[in-house]
Amino acid sequence: SIGRNIDAIKSYKKAIEIKPDYAEAHNNLSVVYLQQRQYHLAIKYCDKAKELGLINQALLEALKPYRDTAKGQ
C-alpha cells in the first residue's frame, strides 16, 4: 500500500541519516522507489548501495532499462 511505502521510505531515510554507510537501507529504499516507478531515485539509492558493497544483481537488472531515460530527468 502507498501508506506502507511512505512509512518504509521514512524509516530507511532515518536509518541512512543515522548511519550513512548502511548499504541495506540504501538497497531497500531503491526497491521501494522502483515499486513506485520513481526510477531516478531507485537508481540513485541502488548505486549508493553498490558503492557501499551491496550488489543486488536482480535490482541492477530491473533498473537497467531505466538508466538511459533517467539521465534526462
Side-chain angles (χ1 to χ4, degrees):
S1 85
I2 291 171
R4 239 193 334 256
N5 280 348
I6 291 168
D7 289 342
I9 288 168
K10 283 182 186 171
S11 296
Y12 296 136
K13 284 189 170 183
K14 185 69 177 170
I16 290 167
E17 195 179 300
I18 294 166
K19 188 176 179 210
D21 62 347
Y22 186 16
E24 289 84 1
H26 288 279
N27 178 77
N28 296 343
L29 201 45
S30 177
V31 170
V32 175
Y33 281 130
L34 175 61
Q35 291 168 346
Q36 291 189 329
R37 295 185 173 96
Q38 293 191 51
Y39 302 117
H40 60 293
L41 289 171
I43 289 165
K44 172 186 167 182
Y45 286 101
C46 177
D47 289 352
K48 185 62 179 177
K50 185 178 172 190
E51 183 186 307
L52 293 168
L54 192 160
I55 296 169
N56 181 338
Q57 203 57 49
L59 183 58
L60 286 166
E61 287 297 316
L63 290 172
K64 199 178 278 186
Y66 305 104
R67 286 194 176 271
D68 291 335
T69 56
K71 284 177 188 157
Q73 290 185 8

